[in-house]
Every structure is written in C-alpha cells, then in structure tokens.
C-alpha cells in the first residue's frame, strides 16, 4: 500500500504545474487555442484589497509543463478586483476537422480579446508584446455606487457573474 501511495504522489508531481505569483490570485482564464508561439496563454488576476489590482498574461508550455510571463509588457494594472477573466472563444468549423494541421485555428490572428469583469466589463486587445483597453461597458448612469456588473435587460437586480 505504501508503494502505491508513493507512486501516486510521484505521478501527481510529474503532472503538476506551479506558479509563484507576487500576490494572492483570484481569477484565472485559459486561452482556448495556442498563440503564435504555439503556447497557450493563461491570464491571472490579483486579489488585492485596494483600488489597484494586476492582471498578468502567462505562457503555458504543455511539453515542459511550465508557466512563465508571456512578455513583460503583458502585465497591467486593473481597477478594482477582476472577479472574472475570459479569452475570446476562438473556434471555427475548420478547427474541429481532424485533417487540419494548423495549430492555431484562429481565422483572424489579430483578434486576441480578453474580457475582465469587476466594476465594469472591460475588453482588452492582446497583441504579441502589448495590451490595450478597447471598451469599457457601463450603463449605470443613475447611481454613484459601482456594482460588479451593471444591470442587464430582464434582470431587476445586480448581475455578479457572466459567462
């Protein structure tokens, strides 16, 4: 019995991935397809109890099971706590074909969107070595208070999460 426990722990360690972040992490998103470098992107957001929080874009290499910052300029300040991060769901009908040898099914390699949810819904344009804000969605014109998301049609209360 002892040998099987040790074997199981050893197997678990071989398939484990760790990342040392300089702050507590709250949300995480994994890109649905590899990037131009054939690595998957992972966005992680901080849990800091102040106005200023952080989002880091990491690269995941499935061959080495390692995480590293994709590029130093792909870490950015985020107002308030990002309660959720989501990459654009890049998928095409041709990407599901077994004969497709293209490792990146994205029909538009310039379309790399990241959404963050906190005080507002924010869309970010993620490029090779830069990220810039595209849109900030807010229709809360009547209140001085911020809610995690603004009210949506058919909802008479605040919305706290979206997928």
């Amino acid at each position: 019995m002892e040998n099987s426990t040790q074997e199981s722990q050893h197997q678990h360690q071989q398939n484990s991935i760790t990342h040392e972040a300089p702050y507590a992490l709250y949300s995480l998103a994994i890109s649905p397809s590899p990037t131009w470098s054939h690595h998957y992107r992972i966005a992680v957001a901080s849990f800091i109890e102040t106005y200023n929080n952080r989002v880091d874009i990491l690269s995941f290499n499935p061959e080495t099971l390692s995480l590293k910052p994709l590029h130093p300029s792909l870490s950015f300040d985020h107002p308030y706590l990002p309660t959720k991060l989501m990459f654009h769901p890049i998928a095409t009908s041709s990407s599901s074909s077994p004969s497709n040898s293209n490792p990146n099914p994205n029909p538009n390699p310039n379309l790399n969107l990241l959404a963050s949810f906190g005080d507002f819904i924010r869309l970010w344009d993620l490029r090779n070595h830069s990220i810039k804000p595209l849109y900030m969605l807010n229709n809360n014109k009547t209140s001085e208070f911020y809610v995690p998301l603004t009210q949506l049609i058919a909802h008479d209360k605040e919305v706290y999460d979206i997928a």
Side-chain angles (χ1 to χ4, degrees), residues 19-28 43-50 52-56 58 80-83 85:
H19 172 65
E20 294 290 328
Y23 41 74
L25 297 179
Y26 187 80
S27 56
L28 170 133
V44 294
S46 66
F47 179 73
I48 303 171
E49 294 184 24
T50 64
N52 295 317
N53 274 267
R54 298 284 301 162
V55 174
D56 295 323
L58 307 174
Y80 293 103
L81 170 67
T83 58
L85 298 169

Side-chain angles (χ1 to χ4, degrees), residues 121-152:
I121 300 172
R122 299 171 194 273
L123 293 178
W124 307 86
D125 181 14
L126 178 61
R127 300 297 173 120
N128 289 356
H129 303 296
S130 66
I131 190 162
K132 69 176 186 173
L134 286 179
Y135 303 104
M136 182 177 70
L137 307 173
N138 172 28
N139 69 358
N140 185 3
K141 309 276 190 251
T142 61
S143 174
E144 64 184 86
F145 302 103
Y146 295 113
V147 295
L149 293 177
T150 58
Q151 289 182 339
L152 302 174

Side-chain angles (χ1 to χ4, degrees), residues 4 7 10 13 16 28 30 36 41 43 45 50-51 59 61 68 73-74 81 90 98 102 104 109 115 121 135:
S4 74
E7 242 177 70
H10 179 68
Q13 289 173 347
S16 295
L28 170 133
I30 301 173
W36 48 90
R41 294 166 294 166
T50 64
Y51 175 78
S59 172
N61 185 331
K68 64 179 182 174
S73 61
L74 293 177
L81 170 67
I90 302 167
N102 182 2
N104 187 353
I121 300 172
Y135 303 104

Side-chain angles (χ1 to χ4, degrees), residues 5-125:
T5 303
Q6 288 174 347
E7 242 177 70
S8 174
Q9 288 175 344
H10 179 68
Q11 202 171 22
H12 178 68
Q13 289 173 347
Q14 287 180 333
N15 294 324
S16 295
I17 301 163
T18 60
H19 172 65
E20 294 290 328
Y23 41 74
L25 297 179
Y26 187 80
S27 56
L28 170 133
I30 301 173
S31 65
S33 64
T35 63
W36 48 90
S37 64
H38 307 288
H39 293 177
Y40 287 85
R41 294 166 294 166
I42 296 178
V44 294
S46 66
F47 179 73
I48 303 171
E49 294 184 24
T50 64
Y51 175 78
N52 295 317
N53 274 267
R54 298 284 301 162
V55 174
D56 295 323
I57 309 299
L58 307 174
S59 172
F60 171 66
N61 185 331
E63 293 170 5
T64 61
L65 296 176
S66 62
L67 289 173
K68 64 179 182 174
L70 192 57
H71 192 273
S73 61
L74 293 177
S75 289
F76 59 96
D77 289 328
H78 192 283
Y80 293 103
L81 170 67
T83 58
K84 183 170 233 161
L85 298 169
M86 295 175 68
F87 282 98
H88 183 273
I90 302 167
T92 63
S93 57
S94 64
S95 69
S96 60
S97 168
S99 63
N100 185 4
S101 62
N102 182 2
N104 187 353
N106 185 354
N108 181 356
N110 295 320
L111 180 63
N112 289 292
L113 298 178
L114 176 69
S116 64
F117 304 87
D119 55 340
F120 303 119
I121 300 172
R122 299 171 194 273
L123 293 178
W124 307 86
D125 181 14

